[in-house]
Amino acid sequence: MNVVIDVTTTTKPYRQEALVPPRGAAIAGVIFSLLTIVGLGLVRYAVPADPSLPGIWLTEPTHRNAVRLALDSVPFAGIAFLWFIGVLRSRLGEREDQFFATVFIASGLLYVACLFVASAVMGALIESVAAGDIDSQTYYFGRRVSDALLNLFAMKMAGAFMFSTCTIGLRTTIFPRWLAISGYGCAVLLLVVIADWRWITLVFPIWMLLLSVQILVAEFGSRRTARTVVRYPQP
């Protein structure tokens, strides 16, 4: 007598793994944040708040070199920021919401564009004054353009970027809820408040630094937990 045993295999339900931001995005975010904080700090220290006042930053070598150093760091900060966007978006994959992803990418690109153009205008002013080929009206025009790009347009794009990033973070649980809520508060501050206070530009890189450090800590914690897991052999 032949006994036929019908063995049916049942597949376990698909369980979606928790989305963990990659370490590359966190490192790029830290580089961007540190370079931007140092660069903006040097500019705020050396350049007067009133655009109509040339100040000693154009004639005194120490202040002028400080501003040049800050401007030289802008391209590297922009590259690190774009790397952060690319790596984070790649990790989101199919979970990416098309609407907020569009705002996320567009606002990030516009922020970098405003930062680059403002730095280029300020660098042109420094070289023009050093060459002695600039009048007061041209200087005032250049300062107004660079200030508007950095303090108004770049900050609004930074606020939009933070808002979309926090929304994506809440929907995908890619970072803690408290970090997203704090990001919403900073985004509202940048979108609503007119940047009369010059140091408000540091809000965005400081929040980016906090986000990047949290990603590094979470990634280190997940690796440490994975190493301590003991797997017993199946009989």
Side-chain angles (χ1 to χ4, degrees), residues 4-228:
V4 179
I5 301 176
D6 186 13
V7 180
T8 59
T9 59
T10 59
T11 59
K12 296 181 179 180
Y14 174 74
R15 187 175 182 179
Q16 198 172 25
E17 297 180 355
L19 192 63
V20 180
R23 182 168 50 182
I27 296 175
V30 170
I31 294 174
F32 160 77
S33 302
L34 294 179
L35 289 177
T36 305
I37 291 173
V38 172
L40 290 175
L42 290 174
V43 171
R44 295 310 182 205
Y45 166 74
V47 181
D50 189 356
S52 62
L53 299 176
I56 61 175
W57 70 283
L58 291 171
T59 56
E60 203 274 324
T62 302
H63 288 74
R64 186 171 62 246
N65 292 333
V67 177
R68 282 176 174 170
L69 178 62
L71 297 180
D72 291 339
S73 66
V74 170
F76 301 100
I79 293 173
F81 185 69
L82 294 177
W83 189 272
F84 173 86
I85 294 176
V87 176
L88 190 61
R89 183 171 181 261
S90 176
R91 177 57 62 93
L92 290 174
E94 295 180 355
R95 298 194 194 183
E96 185 180 62
D97 183 276
Q98 292 185 355
F99 174 78
F100 287 103
T102 302
V103 180
F104 172 77
I105 298 172
S107 58
L109 293 177
L110 288 174
Y111 172 80
V112 173
C114 292
L115 197 64
F116 280 10
V117 176
S119 302
V121 172
M122 186 167 290
L125 289 178
I126 293 177
E127 299 304 326
S128 297
V129 172
D133 188 18
I134 188 174
D135 53 24
S136 59
Q137 293 181 352
T138 305
Y139 170 80
Y140 182 76
F141 174 78
R143 277 297 311 274
R144 280 296 184 184
V145 170
S146 61
D147 280 10
L149 287 170
L150 180 60
N151 301 319
L152 180 60
F153 296 105
M155 290 303 100
K156 302 310 177 187
M157 292 301 100
F161 178 84
M162 294 173 69
F163 187 86
S164 58
T165 304
C166 293
T167 303
I168 294 173
L170 285 178
R171 292 191 174 188
T172 59
T173 64
I174 199 170
F175 50 80
R177 186 180 182 86
W178 66 266
L179 191 58
I181 295 176
S182 65
Y184 280 131
C186 295
V188 171
L189 181 66
L190 294 178
L191 289 172
V192 176
V193 178
I194 303 300
D196 293 331
W197 183 45
R198 315 292 287 182
W199 294 94
I200 199 175
T201 53
L202 293 177
V203 171
F204 178 56
I206 290 176
W207 183 82
M208 281 286 298
L209 180 61
L210 182 63
L211 172 62
S212 302
V213 171
Q214 193 281 327
I215 292 176
L216 285 177
V217 172
E219 196 268 348
F220 176 77
S222 63
R223 287 183 175 228
R224 186 175 181 180
T225 303
R227 290 176 181 175
T228 57

